[in-house]
Amino acid sequence: VIGRAERGREAITYTRQVIHDGGIVAIKGIGGFHLCCDATNEDAVKKVYELKHREDSKAMLVLLDDVGKLASYVTVPDIAYDLLEVNDKPMTVIYPGAKNMAKNLIATDGTIGIRITSEAFTKALLYRFHRPIVSTSANISGEPSPKCFAEISDAVKAAVDHVVDYRQGETANPA
């Protein structure tokens, strides 16, 4: 549903519920618009792969809101904590020993890419959701990644369960 006039907590609550119910949402994040779903729900992850016309052997990024949650989902080498502590830009780390996530999200070697988000809306959503979410560009595989709402194809807009109103009007791409 596009155009829902949510603000603040209402937007987060509504988006959280859609994801909780296995839905796919489009959210403006760092780098453009992304499709997001519950990273622990195999059916939701499958829907994202199908929407994107993407082979399920191709990895998708997972977001968390806090470094302290990593150990619940992966084996965290000490060096990863060191990197995350000094990093000041968005960084995805490929971790071994993925667990407690949708099996169709985990690579055949047991790894998964996770980013600790600093984007305000997504961070607040993750805090309220209490689980990781998938984040992948809001496009059909092979098409350009949308940097703003106007660049999302009609097919993708029609296929998602919700487009978050937050930052829809932006045409520039600030972090």
Side-chain angles (χ1 to χ4, degrees):
V1 177
I2 299 173
R4 199 173 145 78
E6 313 114 349
R7 297 285 178 251
R9 280 170 113 39
E10 287 179 30
I12 291 166
T13 299
Y14 184 79
T15 304
R16 180 203 165 283
Q17 190 62 52
V18 171
I19 292 173
H20 178 270
D21 293 344
I24 301 171
V25 299
I27 299 174
K28 172 73 169 163
I30 296 170
F33 262 86
H34 304 275
L35 300 176
C36 299
C37 73
D38 180 353
T40 67
N41 181 328
E42 279 189 57
D43 291 334
V45 171
K46 181 180 178 189
K47 285 179 10 183
V48 172
Y49 279 119
E50 289 172 352
L51 186 157
K52 290 181 66 73
H53 303 262
R54 184 176 181 156
E55 294 177 35
D56 61 7
S57 61
K58 293 191 123 193
M60 290 192 290
L61 173 68
V62 172
L63 297 177
L64 284 172
D65 61 321
D66 187 88
V67 172
K69 295 179 181 176
L70 283 168
S72 295
Y73 300 101
V74 292
T75 302
V76 187
D78 290 339
I79 188 71
Y81 286 119
D82 295 339
L83 286 169
L84 292 167
E85 188 176 313
V86 298
N87 183 52
D88 64 348
K89 296 192 185 316
M91 178 177 65
T92 302
V93 177
I94 308 300
Y95 294 93
K99 59 188 176 190
N100 302 321
M101 286 203 222
K103 289 182 183 8
N104 54 349
L105 198 54
I106 300 170
T108 55
D109 65 358
T111 60
I112 196 154
I114 299 177
R115 178 179 295 168
I116 306 300
T117 188
S118 60
E119 194 282 319
F121 183 89
T122 309
K123 191 171 185 79
L125 172 64
L126 282 158
Y127 178 78
R128 299 270 308 276
F129 188 56
H130 306 292
R131 290 193 296 257
I133 61 173
V134 167
S135 179
T136 185
S137 57
N139 63 327
I140 304 298
S141 289
E143 293 181 0
S145 298
K147 302 298 181 205
C148 62
F149 177 73
E151 293 177 0
I152 302 173
S153 73
D154 290 340
V156 171
K157 288 176 187 172
V160 299
D161 298 293
H162 177 60
V163 178
V164 178
D165 283 351
Y166 176 72
R167 295 175 66 188
Q168 266 190 28
E170 291 180 10
T171 55
N173 199 20

